[in-house]
Amino acid sequence: METWPGSAYPLGATYDGSGVNFAVFSEVAKRVEVCLIDEDDTGGLVERRVDLPEVDGFVWHCYVPGVQPGQRYGFRVHGPYAPAKGHRCDPSKLLLDPYAKAIDGQIVDHASLFSYDFEDPQVRNTEDSLDATMHSVVVNPYFDWGHDRPPRHGYHETVVYEAHVKGLTMTHPDIPEAIRGTYAAVAHPVIIDHLTALGVTAIELMPVHQFVQDTGLQAKGLINYWGYNTIGFLAPHNAYAAGSLGQQVTEFKAMVKALHEADIEVILDVVYNHTAEGNEWGPTLCFRGLDNASYYRLVDRSKEHYYDTTGTGNSLLMRNPHVLQLIMDSLRYWVTEMHVDGFRFDLAATLARPFHEVDKLSAFFDLIQQDPVISQVKLIAEPWDVGDGGYQVGNFPPLWTEWNGKFRDTVRDFWRGEPSTLGEFASRITGSSDLYGHSGRKPIASINFITAHDGFTMRDLVSYNEKHNEANLEGNRDGESHNRSWNCGVEGPADDAEIDALRLRQQRNFLTTLLLSQGVPMISHGDEVGRTQQGNNNVYCQDNGLSWLDWDLGPDQEALLAFTQGIVALRRKHPVFRRRRFFAGSADHGGESELGDIAWLKPSGEQMTEADWTNGEARFVGMWLNGSAIREPDHRGRRIVDDNFLVVFNAGAEDATFTLPGAAWGGPWFTEVDTDADGDGVVEPLSGGSVAVGGRSALVLRSVRTTVPTNGHSGSTAEKA
């Protein structure tokens, strides 16, 4: 074939209308071939091999005229195979392009994927993997974005909805069956209407980078459902496309465009901490065969083994500049070419490990900070991994927000009635200043969540004390055993109206707490309608009705959905619930009231004392929020003023009477939310000086503002009487 020298940049396969430039990094290679893959008359695979003769800065490259979009290809790398020295080059293995924009097919469970013999691992296996592996695909980057623009919601205005492309859409009766479980299904009007009616501003999609189906799961008749097994950092997962070869790119872009038109941001859950190749016993699919020692962290004195802080077999070598370049190029590609609005980084503590310890000043964070593209989108860390010192909640740099695992744990403990939780509960629902304030960060650094994909759903959180993961075929040993859950008296489904009512109330309590706390709330998809996984808290391998959202809603689920919509609307309407600064607590706030911006009240209506906070048996607290003491301007520089609120939490089993505070605190008071009621959204004025608060319930009271600040600008979205 005719070839030209081409260019070392950009990496990957770049189509220019006349042909394709191929470029791939390998510092250890002695020779690199690009293999163009086609089918013969019988449907078998054939390849045309082309040497990459040019090498610049360890990037092998050439230009091949005439190659068109849709062409499948891969690389073969000739070089040392010396595992003891960290090298695993093997030209018998067809390798994926790390920069592939699309990937075709899936691996099959075949010995040719492995460079060693199963019977004797010391013996090389040189069987060709062409027919057993996945293939990279050349794509045409053109897409008509029209007038697409990023919504750019401020963090304080953001409500995140964590969802799975397939799980969210697979059973919806109004989505055509042919596109269920795909990007096109997420873009369908019925899904977008559900999201907009719910009031979420961002959808956080579980992994959509191309991932691998583990052969071990396939042997059990299971499948990798979650997708935390990435192999292609620039390629949308092909199984989520309704169309044919290479259409996943176009369909993903169309999904983003449709969500943006609905003013919904798209955040991707990305897995840059490890790859699908696993440890030394894993298959050779891409990075291992290209340059094993450059891409992976190896054990210093035993380089045939992988240093693993992820629990998946390997960890990427974050101090290697080519690995950092790959991750940064991937992030920029998804922002500039695919128009996504942010990222949630799986096991992000691993990304901060240049050596063994977690370092918040590592090169990765330095690169993010100075990058003019990536630094301007939403960056969310899962601030832990499984390595030593891996729990890093509160320790990420100021540019980042974090999944606040302490919020999850504390709120779960409070509502299940654990002792001595009141003080930390108050800290978590006011933005966790103890975690983020010391570094100059604000409440929006906290991504508040009670449930996520990993663990119980909210309905299961109030229905099961123990995990029930038998369907995973691991003897119920997988998944978290300490769930901080409470089954309300019966394990699993209960043929008891009182228990069912209590479980619904507990779900309303959780949703009220989550959505009216300071910080950024995240709802796990289906929690708004009481989705269940039947007690399975680790459905990573369950691509079936156990993990999919069931859209056949009963009356209780419809009521819970309406309740959730109402709470989200209340948060959106009232800025007192989404402050950008921490509470001061004192009266020095520049507002109209002589009171502070927040106060904590006991059932008598008096302010909490130190003795009240340290009472390990206390289960009741009232939180007063001063609408005239929001010490921040709106986007036009006007002072924000809102109504006053009383949010009352009673995690005790017994009903309580709450004495309303005096006139200086506001009044008259209206009941906005009562989780002990049906949640019909009716606003009722209170009569008298006290109000009943049901056992294990929350109450939200509002005092309507009737005055306008002296500067003439209310700046408030609050309803005026």
Side-chain angles (χ1 to χ4, degrees):
M1 294 184 66
E2 179 185 8
T3 62
W4 303 344
S7 171
Y9 190 85
L11 288 156
T14 306
Y15 174 68
D16 65 359
S18 300
V20 175
N21 187 83
F22 294 98
V24 64
F25 160 76
S26 178
E27 185 172 349
V28 73
K30 304 301 181 185
R31 177 188 171 204
V32 177
E33 298 170 294
V34 61
C35 305
L36 305 180
I37 303 164
D38 298 291
E39 293 184 2
D40 61 21
D41 294 338
T42 66
L45 297 179
V46 295
E47 57 179 323
R48 294 170 289 165
R49 299 187 182 187
V50 179
D51 272 303
L52 301 182
E54 302 293 328
V55 189
D56 294 305
F58 304 117
V59 176
W60 301 71
H61 58 90
C62 79
Y63 182 92
V64 184
V67 175
Q68 296 295 306
Q71 175 67 60
R72 289 178 288 174
Y73 70 98
F75 294 110
R76 296 187 186 272
V77 173
H78 302 259
Y81 183 84
K85 296 182 179 180
H87 305 310
R88 295 178 180 266
C89 297
D90 184 348
S92 70
K93 311 309 173 206
L94 185 77
L95 304 177
L96 289 169
D97 179 2
Y99 281 77
K101 308 299 193 306
I103 293 173
D104 182 48
Q106 261 297 341
I107 65 171
V108 297
D109 189 3
H110 196 271
S112 63
L113 296 174
F114 302 84
S115 293
Y116 61 90
D117 185 86
F118 289 167
E119 299 296 328
D120 184 356
Q122 301 304 315
V123 175
R124 287 282 301 279
N125 175 15
T126 58
E127 187 176 2
D128 197 289
S129 69
L130 172 65
D131 293 309
T133 194
M134 310 157 78
H135 305 143
S136 306
V137 181
V138 176
V139 302
N140 186 340
Y142 175 76
F143 179 79
D144 183 7
W145 284 103
H147 298 290
D148 181 70
R149 62 168 186 82
R152 294 194 180 279
H153 297 295
Y155 272 117
H156 67 293
E157 298 171 330
T158 296
V159 177
V160 179
Y161 189 79
E162 187 198 32
H164 187 282
V165 168
K166 191 171 187 179
L168 177 64
T169 64
M170 197 60 189
T171 74
H172 203 296
D174 295 330
I175 297 176
E177 190 171 349
I179 67 168
R180 291 178 189 173
T182 69
Y183 305 120
V186 176
H188 193 278
V190 296
I191 296 297
I192 291 180
D193 288 348
H194 176 78
L195 297 176
T196 54
L198 186 57
V200 300
T201 66
I203 185 169
E204 180 179 302
L205 294 176
M206 290 175 64
V208 297
H209 288 178
Q210 183 66 52
F211 58 87
V212 171
Q213 290 302 335
D214 319 50
T215 56
L217 287 177
Q218 291 183 51
K220 296 179 180 179
L222 301 173
I223 194 170
N224 189 315
Y225 169 68
W226 280 352
Y228 292 93
N229 205 25
T230 302
I231 199 65
F233 294 130
L234 286 83
H237 187 58
N238 53 33
Y240 296 155
S244 57
L245 181 69
Q247 289 302 303
Q248 57 263 42
V249 178
T250 300
E251 290 185 26
F252 183 92
K253 290 178 177 179
M255 175 193 70
V256 172
K257 183 178 179 181
L259 288 164
H260 281 183
E261 288 175 352
D263 204 30
I264 297 172
E265 294 179 301
V266 179
I267 299 171
L268 301 188
D269 190 341
V270 291
V271 187
Y272 293 116
N273 52 76
H274 73 280
T275 79
E277 291 184 300
N279 62 16
E280 59 271 17
W281 305 115
T284 297
L285 306 175
C286 181
F287 309 96
R288 174 175 284 137
L290 285 168
D291 193 334
N292 185 63
S294 291
Y295 279 109
Y296 292 119
R297 298 191 65 176
L298 306 178
V299 177
D300 290 339
R301 297 184 180 180
S302 183
K303 293 187 180 297
E304 66 269 30
H305 298 113
Y306 292 78
Y307 186 84
D308 178 20
T309 60
T310 66
T312 59
N314 65 54
S315 303
L316 283 174
L317 183 60
M318 295 304 297
R319 66 175 180 266
N320 185 289
H322 296 281
V323 174
L324 290 170
Q325 180 186 11
L326 170 62
I327 295 175
M328 297 299 290
D329 286 347
S330 168
L331 292 169
R332 273 191 294 270
Y333 173 78
W334 286 99
V335 175
T336 60
E337 296 296 324
M338 308 296 265
H339 288 207
V340 305
D341 305 285
F343 305 94
R344 178 265 186 188
F345 293 80
D346 178 66
L347 300 181
T350 291
L351 304 177
R353 291 181 184 270
F355 295 99
H356 299 287
E357 73 287 348
V358 177
D359 180 6
K360 68 179 181 179
L361 300 179
S362 70
F364 174 70
F365 293 127
D366 292 344
L367 289 172
I368 293 286
Q369 181 70 38
Q370 60 80 40
D371 190 278
V373 174
I374 306 169
S375 64
Q376 299 306 303
V377 301
K378 288 182 168 64
L379 302 171
I380 304 170
E382 182 186 31
W384 48 76
D385 63 16
V386 300
D388 291 339
Y391 193 76
Q392 293 292 319
V393 173
N395 291 331
F396 275 68
L399 191 64
W400 290 69
T401 60
E402 301 174 15
W403 270 25
N404 189 345
K406 292 188 176 182
F407 180 96
R408 172 199 60 201
D409 295 345
T410 301
V411 173
R412 288 186 179 193
D413 279 347
F414 176 78
W415 281 115
R416 70 186 179 124
E418 286 295 289
S420 303
T421 57
L422 201 58
E424 187 167 1
F425 177 78
S427 178
R428 299 296 154 246
I429 65 176
T430 53
S432 296
S433 61
D434 58 324
L435 298 177
Y436 306 112
H438 65 87
S439 58
R441 300 161 80 186
K442 297 178 180 179
I444 56 176
S446 177
I447 303 294
N448 298 330
F449 69 106
I450 296 169
T451 59
H453 68 272
D454 188 2
F456 281 146
T457 66
M458 192 171 289
R459 177 173 168 182
D460 289 355
L461 187 66
V462 301
S463 304
Y464 296 90
N465 284 350
E466 308 295 335
K467 63 185 180 182
H468 297 269
N469 298 356
E470 290 80 8
N472 298 351
L473 305 182
E474 298 182 40
N476 205 33
R477 293 184 298 271
D478 62 302
E480 176 61 57
S481 296
H482 183 45
N483 292 286
R484 303 174 189 265
S485 60
W486 178 49
N487 64 17
C488 298
V490 174
E491 188 75 355
D495 187 17
D496 187 310
E498 289 188 6
I499 290 178
D500 287 341
L502 174 57
R503 288 174 174 175
L504 284 168
R505 187 161 73 250
Q506 286 286 75
Q507 291 175 73
R508 294 194 291 265
N509 290 336
F510 280 128
L511 289 164
T512 301
T513 306
L514 172 66
L515 289 161
L516 300 187
S517 291
Q518 305 300 324
V520 182
M522 184 185 79
I523 302 169
S524 181
H525 86 254
D527 278 350
E528 74 277 16
V529 294
R531 183 174 74 91
T532 179
Q533 294 172 172
Q534 299 175 27
N536 191 318
N537 71 355
N538 190 32
V539 295
Y540 78 102
C541 58
Q542 299 295 328
D543 187 9
N544 50 51
L546 193 64
S547 57
W548 302 338
L549 197 164
D550 184 357
W551 287 95
D552 184 14
L553 306 183
D556 286 343
Q557 293 172 292
E558 293 280 8
L560 187 61
L561 174 59
F563 178 87
T564 310
Q565 292 169 337
I567 293 291
V568 175
L570 184 67
R571 177 187 179 85
R572 181 176 61 247
K573 187 176 182 180
H574 291 284
V576 74
F577 295 118
R578 43 186 174 82
R579 296 164 54 99
R580 287 174 290 165
R581 300 175 183 173
F582 289 114
F583 290 101
S586 67
D588 184 20
H589 53 69
E592 300 170 325
S593 172
E594 295 181 358
L595 300 169
D597 49 15
I598 188 172
W600 301 97
L601 307 175
K602 48 191 175 182
S604 64
E606 300 172 302
Q607 295 197 52
M608 296 275 287
T609 65
E610 185 64 28
D612 296 318
W613 286 115
T614 56
N615 178 2
E617 300 305 313
R619 303 285 189 277
F620 184 105
V621 68
M623 177 176 66
W624 176 77
L625 302 176
N626 189 343
S628 69
I630 304 175
R631 300 169 298 111
E632 55 201 44
D634 67 6
H635 68 286
R636 297 176 62 183
R638 302 176 303 182
R639 183 163 67 84
I640 297 173
V641 178
D642 199 355
D643 299 331
N644 291 351
F645 279 86
L646 279 167
V647 186
V648 183
F649 303 98
N650 180 17
E654 303 300 325
D655 295 351
T657 299
F658 177 62
T659 300
L660 298 173
W665 302 78
W669 294 98
F670 294 79
T671 302
E672 284 283 347
V673 178
D674 184 356
T675 65
D676 195 25
D678 294 331
D680 56 10
V682 176
V683 179
E684 300 176 348
L686 297 182
S687 59
S690 64
V691 60
V693 185
R696 296 193 175 98
S697 70
L699 191 64
V700 181
L701 308 177
R702 177 167 64 101
S703 174
V704 179
R705 171 165 293 279
T706 58
T707 60
V708 178
T710 55
N711 63 8
H713 296 296
S714 71
S716 174
T717 58
E719 179 183 26
K720 298 296 184 291

